[in-house]
Amino acid sequence: MRTDRILADPAPRLEPTRPGGHEVPGMSRTRQVLFGTTTVAYAAIVAAVLGTSRLVRLDWQVMLFRPYKQWPQFHAFLDYFVVLGQRGPTAVMVAAWLGWRTWKQRSLRPLLVLGTALLLLNITVGAVKYGLGRLGPHYATTIGSAELFGGGDIFPSGHTANAVVTWGILAYLATTPRARRVLSVVSAMLSLGVGMTTIYLGTHWVSDVLSGWCAGLLVLLALPWFEPLISRAEQWLLVKWTQLRSRWLPTPVTVSPIAARSGVIPPRDAADDAPLLQPVGAGAPARPTAATATATATASRAAHHGMRGHIARLDRATVPAPGNRRPPHVERAAHPATHRGRGNQG
């Protein structure tokens, strides 16, 4: 297993610049038309519920039909399938995927887009829920009534709107047109299935699901207007992360060379043992060896005496070893008395 990626410095993973080729969706003409159309449809559904129109009668007809009793064989499966619309489980799953995308793209934008979308969803859907206070089918009291302002929180459907936003974020953040088309179809099928499942289980009216689809789609269509804010938030978080990281991590200390420290003798190298005197700079005086000092002293004495009669002897003299202070041995000529003795014998 490779550990270089695990033990690497995590700082380069959060770069302020966004990698090239990363397309940010804009508020195109088509998106503006869809946003306006969805807004009108959402307002029409709210007005139909407030006016106890035919849509409310449809709600009661489906509720009294009780689909979960007509097809009980699907009940066990759909009890688990509807979890794909719950806020907690879906947010954890999508956040884990987008966290990997954040690490891969070296950008905080995927997680910031998800947080912005969920915040908008809570504000818009929550305001309508608690403003109208509609009761669910299992708590209805009057047949044919819209069951508004009864302290409920069922309109619009939170499961449906959350499924549209949570799974639609994956299509919104897709980096290629093909991936965006595929993920758009998958998210549409999941949100459609979650909405119909809530009707089957009897936890939501039909009008709740219709308004939930519109509320979730409006959040997705409005996200491009918040892209500048998301970009500024990303830059601000990166700056704060850099500042906190500089406080937590110790500052590296630069160690000066040993020779630059006062009172410390630098180690000897091979150049000090050379037999010849090496040239040195003006700031570093040379340390002559014993052999070099002896040769220099001898040359000075020879210059003082005018080089008289000692040149030959100096040429033949050998430089003593540094530890030997005895003068060099010089062969002397035979004593004249010896020759005179030999002559007297003859």
Side-chain angles (χ1 to χ4, degrees):
M1 182 179 68
R2 294 185 59 183
T3 60
D4 53 347
R5 296 182 179 178
I6 300 175
L7 301 178
D9 187 5
R13 297 178 183 176
L14 298 176
E15 295 293 336
T17 57
R18 192 170 292 137
H22 187 192
E23 180 185 356
V24 178
M27 201 65 180
S28 61
R29 178 72 176 178
T30 303
R31 187 180 290 268
Q32 293 177 0
V33 171
L34 287 175
F35 184 85
T37 305
T38 307
T39 303
V40 172
Y42 191 18
I45 295 171
V46 174
V49 173
L50 290 173
T52 315
S53 62
R54 294 180 180 180
L55 182 58
V56 176
R57 289 198 296 270
L58 177 63
D59 290 340
W60 277 99
Q61 289 174 357
V62 174
M63 180 265 187
L64 295 176
F65 181 69
R66 292 180 173 83
Y68 59 91
K69 289 186 176 181
Q70 301 297 329
W71 302 284
Q73 63 273 19
F74 300 115
H75 195 283
F77 169 74
L78 293 179
D79 265 341
Y80 290 100
F81 180 78
V82 79
V83 176
L84 295 178
Q86 290 184 359
R87 183 70 48 83
T90 56
V92 170
M93 289 187 290
V94 175
W97 169 257
L98 295 182
W100 180 82
R101 289 278 302 275
T102 295
W103 177 85
K104 183 179 179 181
Q105 296 180 359
R106 309 295 191 268
S107 173
L108 294 174
R109 180 175 173 266
L111 290 178
L112 290 177
V113 169
L114 176 62
T116 304
L118 293 180
L119 181 61
L120 291 175
L121 182 64
N122 288 335
I123 294 174
T124 56
V125 174
V128 179
K129 275 179 174 291
Y130 293 104
L132 296 180
R134 191 181 191 186
L135 297 175
H138 293 309
Y139 302 96
T141 57
T142 304
I143 296 178
S145 171
E147 301 292 337
L148 296 175
F149 311 109
D153 58 351
I154 207 70
F155 180 88
S157 171
H159 276 68
T160 305
N162 183 72
V164 173
V165 172
T166 306
W167 302 112
I169 285 293
L170 301 180
Y172 180 82
L173 294 174
T175 56
T176 61
R178 181 179 179 181
R180 186 175 294 112
R181 288 193 297 267
V182 172
L183 291 175
S184 297
V185 173
V186 172
S187 61
M189 296 300 294
L190 286 175
S191 58
L192 178 64
V194 169
M196 298 301 294
T197 300
T198 59
I199 297 175
Y200 167 85
L201 296 174
T203 56
H204 279 287
W205 307 99
V206 174
S207 56
D208 296 343
V209 174
L210 295 178
S211 59
W213 285 332
C214 293
L217 187 57
L218 286 176
V219 172
L220 287 179
L221 293 174
L223 278 179
W225 284 330
F226 294 88
E227 283 292 342
L229 180 61
I230 293 173
S231 180
R232 287 194 296 268
E234 180 182 7
Q235 298 295 331
W236 182 81
L237 289 174
L238 290 176
V239 170
K240 291 300 180 182
W241 167 252
T242 304
Q243 293 176 354
L244 291 176
R245 193 167 174 271
S246 62
R247 294 178 183 176
W248 292 340
L249 297 181
T251 305
V253 179
T254 305
V255 181
S256 60
I258 298 179
R261 299 180 183 177
S262 60
V264 179
I265 301 176
R268 295 181 60 187
D269 50 6
D272 293 337
D273 299 330
L276 298 178
L277 187 62
Q278 300 294 331
V280 295
R287 294 183 299 171
T289 60
T292 306
T294 304
T296 304
T298 305
S300 300
R301 288 196 301 269
H304 177 70
H305 293 287
M307 305 297 289
R308 296 178 295 177
H310 299 285
I311 298 177
R313 181 174 295 179
L314 290 172
D315 292 338
R316 292 195 304 269
T318 59
V319 179
N324 187 9
R325 298 184 180 275
R326 297 182 59 186
H329 177 73
V330 181
E331 296 183 1
R332 294 179 294 180
H335 199 273
T338 306
H339 294 285
R340 288 197 302 268
R342 288 180 181 180
N344 294 334
Q345 290 179 1

